[in-house]
Amino acid sequence: MSDVLTALLDGDGKVKRWPKRPEERAAVLAFIVAKFEQGKDYAEKDVNAIISASHSFNDSSMLRRELITAKLMNRTPDCKRYWVDRQI
C-alpha cells in the first residue's frame, strides 16, 4: 500500500475523505476498484454496498460515478449492470 493511500485511510482501513490532488484520487479509486472481482456482473445496490464498505465519508454515488468516469468500471446505459474489465 502506498504512503499516499495510507494517509487517506482511517483506523478501520476505510477512505476518510475524497482528496483534492489527482494522484491521491487515483490511489483512492484504485483501492476501491480492487474490491471488485474482474469480469463479474454487479447490480447497482451491490456496487454501492462494496463502495460503502470502503469509505467513511458517505458518498457512494460520487465514488461510483468517479469509477465510471475514470473508466475503471463499466455499466450498461440503464445502470442495471456494472462490471470491471481489468484490475489496475
Side-chain angles (χ1 to χ4, degrees), residues 52-71:
S52 290
S54 303
H55 78 290
S56 59
F57 59 91
N58 199 26
D59 200 346
S60 295
S61 298
M62 183 272 299
L63 289 169
R64 188 183 64 245
R65 286 190 302 271
E66 290 290 333
L67 288 168
I68 298 297
T69 300
K71 299 191 184 318

Side-chain angles (χ1 to χ4, degrees), residues 1 6-8 12 14 17 24 28 30 39 43-44 47 50-51 53 56 78-79 84 88:
M1 187 177 309
T6 302
L8 297 169
D12 294 325
K14 294 181 179 184
R17 66 178 174 81
E24 290 177 337
V28 166
E44 184 173 344
V47 171
I50 292 168
I51 292 172
S56 59
D78 61 5
C79 301
V84 174
I88 57 171

Side-chain angles (χ1 to χ4, degrees), residues 36-51:
F36 292 89
E37 186 178 326
Q38 185 176 350
K40 179 179 177 180
D41 285 352
Y42 294 90
E44 184 173 344
K45 68 179 179 118
D46 299 322
V47 171
N48 289 340
I50 292 168
I51 292 172

